[in-house]
Amino acid sequence: MSEQIKLSKISTRAPKGIDKDETKGKTLAILQELDELQNLMFAERKHALLVVIQGMDASGKDGLIKDVFGSLNPQGVKVQSFKTPTEEEAAHDFLWRIHKNTPEKGMIQLFNRSHYEDVLITRVHGWCDDKTAKRRIDAINNFEQLLEENATHVIKLYLHVSHEEQRKRLEERLEIPRKMWKYNQSDLAESELWEAYMKYYETVFKKCDSVPWHIIPADQNWYKSYLVATIIRDTLRAFKMEYPELKE
Amino acid sequence: MSEQIKLSKISTRAPKGIDKDETKGKTLAILQELDELQNLMFAERKHALLVVIQGMDASGKDGLIKDVFGSLNPQGVKVQSFKTPTEEEAAHDFLWRIHKNTPEKGMIQLFNRSHYEDVLITRVHGWCDDKTAKRRIDAINNFEQLLEENATHVIKLYLHVSHEEQRKRLEERLEIPRKMWKYNQSDLAESELWEAYMKYYETVFKKCDSVPWHIIPADQNWYKSYLVATIIRDTLRAFKMEYPELKE
């Protein structure tokens, strides 16, 4: 099990001295390589990639999906957003709707929120007691192990914004017409529960670490995209893939 | 019902005098507008778009998906490829697997092949008799009408390549390592059935025209992408969408 992480001690910004324009240029080059790697992955059909994207409201999950995965071939990328469970979903175990959406070999599957909400928002609001949470955490670990054993590589990302940056972005949703559709009345109330969320996130990072978490400083979108593109690229490179030869 | 189309009389290339580089520039500008329109569509959630992509092997369906839809937000675009039905799919009516994959409002759904294969490849090989084909054609027309009546706009594309261009592309799959994975031994045998395919395609264009078909000259990828991007852009523009105001 990992050491206890204190999110408040981890920077939400790029280290000093990192140049924005230079980094954007690097990201572009990485995305070009990613495009090639994804084509190879789709052709080879030996590996699947599941990218779990977690973060507070307005931490930039949607933007990340567009910026890093928007230039890839849509035939090889699927996105699933997990919201309040439907009646049918709620009538099953919490991993049922998740498992249905895991990727087949050759594919990249993005989860916009995930099974982790079942030990985050539910705990913050007291819909899930500690005992249930413990059982779920064990189930999540077993589930992720099952995936890893079956050529589905899991990448878990936490988009780490500061409370201040989050407030700024939520306010924009009230002011900029193009962003208003993203606003939910519950957002501001949830934002008030920041400390509780941080506590349960820290628990998740500690207890669900057999597949490691990446804490991504996310106050600056250009730095966030650069880090995530790098992680995805390095993961795909490590698959050491090859184009299949002619079928007989 | 439309007049009878003769595919052999329709050009598979751009009209003379159309400049390649200029057209590519126009396509880029259209794709930028599309990006904005898709964002709006996703926010508004009043319209769904279903793009049915048909064409012979190597007519450029995969490339079209990448070139025209690859720059859009993956959160708003889904792709479904329809191959030989699985056992479960074959145990249902032919529209069952199709209907399951129609888009919800706000989304763009691409079909790489579709329900039309059930009156194309099946007829070419005699797996489907004329009486069954007639019933299926009626069912397809009713089904597409149902979609149109429920805010799901259907765009049907036929990628029109010449037999010569197809042969050239299939040969490349035997020669270029990066393309070998796309090769199927059956491709060349299917290519020999060209005339039968053209006949049944022409029937489909005539009988299934309440939602119109777009015959896209597809020997040149740059022209194909330009035409399709234009059709999608014009369709979305016609929705006259607006960003939703703040929810109460």
Side-chain angles (χ1 to χ4, degrees), chain B residues 145-242:
Chain B
Q145 193 187 336
L146 172 75
L147 298 180
E148 291 275 348
E149 285 166 358
N150 287 277
T152 301
H153 196 93
V154 183
I155 294 179
K156 301 192 295 197
L157 306 171
Y158 171 70
L159 305 190
H160 183 39
V161 286
S162 64
H163 199 178
E164 201 184 341
E165 176 68 21
Q166 189 216 30
R167 282 201 202 97
K168 205 189 90 196
R169 293 182 186 179
L170 291 178
E171 275 162 27
E172 280 178 1
R173 294 184 179 177
L174 286 165
E175 286 156 15
I176 303 176
R178 222 178 151 281
K179 295 192 170 182
M180 286 181 180
W181 67 280
K182 290 199 135 202
Y183 172 76
N184 259 311
Q185 207 161 14
S186 63
D187 288 351
L188 297 176
E190 289 296 308
S191 178
E192 294 304 308
L193 300 167
W194 188 270
E195 292 309 323
Y197 271 104
M198 292 305 108
K199 185 179 95 180
Y200 289 119
Y201 262 114
E202 287 164 359
T203 304
V204 153
F205 299 149
K206 187 177 161 71
K207 305 272 188 187
C208 299
D209 69 333
S210 53
V211 172
W213 279 92
H214 300 271
I215 315 283
I216 308 291
D219 278 3
Q220 298 142 300
N221 288 321
W222 57 271
Y223 189 58
K224 169 192 75 177
S225 292
Y226 166 71
L227 288 182
V228 173
T230 304
I231 291 165
I232 306 290
R233 193 261 326 259
D234 292 348
T235 303
L236 296 192
R237 268 189 189 168
F239 291 164
K240 301 200 181 306
M241 300 177 283
E242 282 177 23

Side-chain angles (χ1 to χ4, degrees), chain A residues 35-36 39 42-43 62 65-66 70-71 74-75 79 81 112 174 178 181 183-185 243 246-248, chain B residues 35-36 39 42-43 62 65-66 70-71 74-75 79 81 112 174 178 181 183-185 243 246-248:
Chain A
D35 186 43
E36 184 62 31
N39 200 41
F42 190 77
D62 293 336
I65 290 170
K66 185 164 178 10
S71 59
Q75 199 141 223
V79 188
S81 293
N112 187 344
L174 285 166
R178 224 179 149 281
W181 66 281
Y183 172 77
N184 258 311
Q185 206 160 17
Y243 279 101
L246 267 187
K247 285 165 252 176
E248 280 310 305
Chain B
D35 186 43
E36 185 60 32
N39 201 40
F42 191 77
D62 294 336
I65 289 170
K66 185 165 180 7
S71 59
Q75 201 142 222
V79 188
S81 293
N112 186 342
L174 286 165
R178 222 178 151 281
W181 67 280
Y183 172 76
N184 259 311
Q185 207 161 14
Y243 278 101
L246 266 187
K247 284 165 252 177
E248 279 312 304

Side-chain angles (χ1 to χ4, degrees), chain A residues 64-97:
Chain A
L64 178 78
I65 290 170
K66 185 164 178 10
D67 292 346
V68 174
F69 301 94
S71 59
L72 300 180
N73 190 337
Q75 199 141 223
V77 181
K78 288 186 183 177
V79 188
Q80 184 64 41
S81 293
F82 293 100
K83 304 194 170 150
T84 310
T86 63
E87 213 173 316
E88 189 191 17
E89 288 168 352
H92 293 81
D93 71 84
F94 78 105
L95 290 174
W96 179 76
R97 63 177 187 162

